[in-house]
Amino acid sequence: MKNIEELVEFALQLLATKTGVSLSYIQKVILRESLLENKKTYALIAEENNYSESYIKFTVAPKLWQLLSPVIGEKVNKKNFLTLLEQKFTNQNPPPTETITAISATRLTRPCYVLESPEGQVPLASSLYVERSPIEQTCYQEILKPCAFIRIKAPRKMGKTSLIARILDYGSSQNYHTVRFSCYHAGTQVLEKSDRFLRCFCANVTQQLGLESRLNDYWDEDMGALINSTIYFQGYLLKELSNPIVLALDGVDQLLEYPEVASDFFVLLRSWYEETKDTSVWQKLRIVIAHTVEVYIPLPTYRSPFNVGLEIELPTFSPEQVQDLAERHQLQLTNSELEQLMKLTGGFPYLIRLALYHSSRLNISVQMLLQDTTSSSGIYRQHLQSQLWNLQQHPKLADAFQQILTAPIQLEIEVAFNLKSLGLVHVIENKAIVSCDLYRAAREYFREWYAH
């Protein structure tokens, strides 16, 4: 029998070469375990990796064998996979022309898979989602706990929403109820008053849980919105459902433009977290919050939800992750290209994906693509225009960033937080510096705008 790791690598290479698909963590676990003589049961694999047996047996495994069957050339299952893969390995020694090409060529021909835009959430089934291990597994394990409260923080376009989608998907695999509430979708009229916002929030959660709205039965104008919301959750939603609820809140920074609503909602979330410690019905509620770096709002420590639970800070991509992502785009970066891309983008996921997307779509090298990044025809022009627009809305931030373009400076806490949330700066030893070479290279681009 061939070496297991050699067979695993061979299977992954075949799959990537012929389909452009990259397996998820749990799919790789099942693949590897299926190559062992003493195969683990799906139940044991599920237990060891904190998944439900039914999810592994009826969702993950069937999808894996469905992906591998056309690659191997026969219908694959857990029992015959080892035999068929060994035969394939032996028959293709030396490896097939397309495998040699994939390994040796510095650039592949136009990809045969559907190329995904880097905008927005990375779909659950996407082969372009980059796991930042052990973050995903840590979050999956955390929501199994009765008092789970996860805070995901990172600048914009760092992958918070994509991670939330995977946490909710894992929750669904445990037969948990899942709800995602995006504060970006709340209209101005809803955000003007706490009572209106919290009624909208409760109604939205109720609808997503598939329950009948009973807000009018629980809402007493004399008691206030915070108490009404708590009673509604405790007396109706949590009591009505037997399984836990994973409640994911995306874009809570949006509320900061409405201080009254923000203050009330954040205090409410903290009070619910405290309830999970003492009241059994509240232990069914697991909360996940995503926000951009720091939420700067004056709340007493004991009333803030941003100093409790598990904090997850999403890092930028490492060179190894960028090289892996390039290969998933059917690109092979040279060391020089990788170094250039890392310096320009600072490893920010969106900036990386934008470069790889255009390189793959246009079938030109990354080095050529990055020769003119800040011009009106460069690939980052729309992103830079967006950043300029953000600064234009807040003259105080614009003035601070103009100074930082010249030299690192110490900023007011709120200004530093806001610039960091945009991904424009890093704060090191209380001084703000430009976050990556893209913004340094765009210095004249920014200054030209300031001159207007």
Side-chain angles (χ1 to χ4, degrees), residues 284-381:
K284 286 188 285 186
L285 181 64
R286 321 290 162 86
I287 297 177
V288 182
I289 299 181
H291 57 98
T292 55
V293 197
E294 307 293 341
V295 174
Y296 188 76
I297 188 168
L299 280 177
T301 301
Y302 66 92
R303 303 190 76 186
S304 171
F306 299 103
N307 53 18
V308 296
L310 173 67
E311 179 181 275
I312 298 290
E313 187 162 5
L314 295 183
T316 53
F317 285 165
S318 67
E320 293 76 17
Q321 288 171 321
V322 173
Q323 187 68 271
D324 175 49
L325 186 57
E327 291 172 4
R328 300 187 203 185
H329 283 80
Q330 296 197 349
L331 302 170
Q332 190 70 33
L333 300 181
T334 65
N335 290 336
S336 175
E337 286 177 323
L338 178 60
E339 183 179 352
Q340 183 183 6
L341 187 57
M342 291 300 297
K343 279 192 68 178
L344 182 72
T345 65
F348 279 93
Y350 173 72
L351 301 181
I352 294 287
R353 282 201 62 195
L354 202 60
L356 298 180
Y357 170 77
H358 284 287
S359 178
S360 184
R361 184 175 68 85
L362 301 173
N363 202 28
I364 62 176
S365 71
V366 168
Q367 185 175 12
M368 183 179 297
L369 195 69
L370 299 183
Q371 286 178 353
D372 198 17
T373 55
T374 62
S375 72
S376 59
S377 60
I379 63 169
Y380 292 116
R381 64 189 183 280

Side-chain angles (χ1 to χ4, degrees), residues 46 48 66 97 113 178 184 187 209 223 226 269 297 339 341 381 391 393 413 416 431:
E48 290 179 347
Q66 186 178 12
T97 302
Y113 60 93
T178 59
Y184 292 119
L209 291 173
M223 299 183 70
L226 273 66
L269 293 178
I297 188 168
E339 183 179 352
L341 187 57
R381 64 189 183 280
L391 293 172
Q393 307 312 302
I413 293 177
K431 286 192 174 182

